[in-house]
Amino acid sequence: MTFSALPQRITFLHRLCLAFMLALGLSTAVQAKQTVDPNAAPNEFVQAVGNNALEVLRQEPAAQQGDLNRINQLVDEYVLPYVNLEKTTRLAAGRYWRQASAQQQKNLVEAFKGTLVRTYSGALSKVDEVSALQILPFRGDANADDVVVRSTISQRNGPAVGVDYRLEKTPQGWKIYDLNVEGIWLIQNYRNQFAQQINQNGIDGLIDALNKQNR
């Protein structure tokens, strides 16, 4: 089974949403990073998360060259605290999530994270000094518990890419759980593929298929 990918043109952070806690130490990027306030306005929250990720990627040659260990470290540090990856996986699995044991659910979340990292690691090479995240005017109700923040990502060799983030308000503040890259929502993109694999080989079959592609 081959899981299809979203367009490869967008930068690393915005493909993961993905997805996803090893410390990076006191590097210049860490010292200079913006403070992320999960209780700020949703557009300000997304801007701070995006700016931090882009800045550290510019200073990470290993990640730009596709070092998956380093990419996982960056994801854990700069993305995971602000993403509800369990909800992303649960919605992608649909009704089958309730059929999975607690251990299977945990394994599926971890396997899906690996898939997102592997699938989009190639986009890291496109992050450079001109890459930038521009948040578009917020059209929703900032007091709502579920909102969409729209943005564009500029790049040197190509047109700007449109990315929408779906956020939910939790007791810990905003969490990203889905994203739309040029009209394709991440959860929807994987839902049919997950269902097909589970129907054929069960929950463990899906986990195995993801893990095999992640090696």
Side-chain angles (χ1 to χ4, degrees), residues 23 26 30 53 65 106 109 114 126 181 204:
L26 297 177
V30 172
Q65 293 169 11
K106 179 180 178 181
V109 170
K126 297 184 180 297
V181 181
D204 287 333

Side-chain angles (χ1 to χ4, degrees), residues 27-202:
S27 67
T28 301
V30 172
Q31 292 175 356
K33 73 178 182 179
Q34 292 180 237
T35 298
V36 177
D37 180 5
N39 293 302
N43 54 328
E44 295 174 359
F45 164 74
V46 172
Q47 183 80 71
V49 174
N51 286 348
N52 285 345
L54 287 174
E55 182 60 29
V56 75
L57 286 172
R58 291 187 186 102
Q59 302 182 42
E60 284 291 333
Q64 293 184 13
Q65 293 169 11
D67 184 333
L68 292 181
N69 288 330
R70 190 57 175 149
I71 291 170
N72 271 291
Q73 291 177 343
L74 297 177
V75 169
D76 287 343
E77 175 72 12
Y78 288 94
V79 181
L80 185 59
Y82 312 112
V83 172
N84 188 344
L85 184 58
E86 180 176 313
K87 180 170 184 174
T88 305
T89 310
R90 170 167 55 82
L91 293 177
R95 62 187 177 88
Y96 301 102
W97 180 262
R98 296 189 298 273
Q99 302 174 13
S101 68
Q103 186 61 53
Q104 286 176 319
Q105 292 174 352
K106 179 180 178 181
N107 292 344
L108 182 56
V109 170
E110 189 63 24
F112 193 28
K113 171 191 169 184
T115 293
L116 294 174
V117 170
R118 175 190 53 79
T119 299
Y120 300 115
S121 59
L124 287 171
S125 61
K126 297 184 180 297
V127 177
D128 57 27
E129 66 276 6
V130 304
S131 299
L133 171 67
Q134 179 181 1
I135 301 297
L136 302 180
F138 183 67
R139 293 179 176 177
D141 178 2
N143 295 317
D145 294 331
D146 194 292
V147 302
V148 173
V149 173
R150 301 177 305 127
S151 76
T152 60
I153 303 168
S154 61
Q155 50 190 354
R156 183 183 298 279
N157 298 314
V161 178
V163 184
D164 298 339
Y165 303 84
R166 186 173 293 280
L167 287 65
E168 66 170 348
K169 196 62 175 288
T170 74
Q172 296 76 40
W174 291 113
K175 294 277 188 178
I176 300 168
Y177 71 91
D178 199 6
L179 59 102
N180 182 316
V181 181
E182 297 190 323
I184 301 176
W185 285 99
L186 184 148
I187 290 173
Q188 184 180 26
N189 184 61
Y190 281 98
R191 183 174 289 143
N192 290 338
Q193 299 174 64
F194 278 19
Q196 179 182 4
Q197 180 64 38
I198 292 171
N199 282 328
Q200 294 175 350
N201 300 301

